[in-house]
Amino acid sequence: MKKNSILKGLKDAKTLNLKNNLEYIDAYANYVKRTDNKIWSKGQKKFLDVLYSRKRRSVKGRISDK
């Protein structure tokens, strides 16, 4: 019996996770539709610059070496 309740809990969590992901996608799609392309592009550039910055890559490399 306990195994079934664990599986049911995992299935419920999976369903909730999918629902949350789809809500996020809808919200982001609406944001992109409402936002001017220049503003959206500037935000994407900032995000990618942080993501691929040299400092971030070097810190990430040091952490994985341990």
Side-chain angles (χ1 to χ4, degrees):
M1 294 277 178
K2 189 172 187 175
K3 185 176 182 180
N4 286 339
S5 66
I6 292 172
L7 292 177
K8 182 176 178 350
L10 290 173
K11 185 177 181 181
D12 292 345
K14 182 179 178 181
T15 302
L16 182 61
N17 187 36
L18 176 62
K19 181 182 175 194
N20 288 337
N21 287 344
L22 292 174
E23 287 175 358
Y24 173 80
I25 290 168
D26 288 341
Y28 188 72
N30 288 332
Y31 166 76
V32 170
K33 288 177 185 178
R34 291 190 318 264
T35 307
D36 182 55
N37 191 39
K38 287 184 179 184
I39 295 171
W40 182 84
S41 297
K42 187 183 282 188
Q44 287 295 93
K45 182 184 180 319
K46 283 182 183 179
F47 172 72
L48 292 173
D49 286 346
V50 168
L51 189 64
Y52 293 108
S53 71
R54 184 175 299 245
K55 183 177 179 182
R56 179 175 157 81
R57 286 193 319 251
S58 65
V59 170
K60 187 177 178 183
R62 282 196 304 243
I63 292 170
S64 64
D65 290 341
K66 289 183 179 180

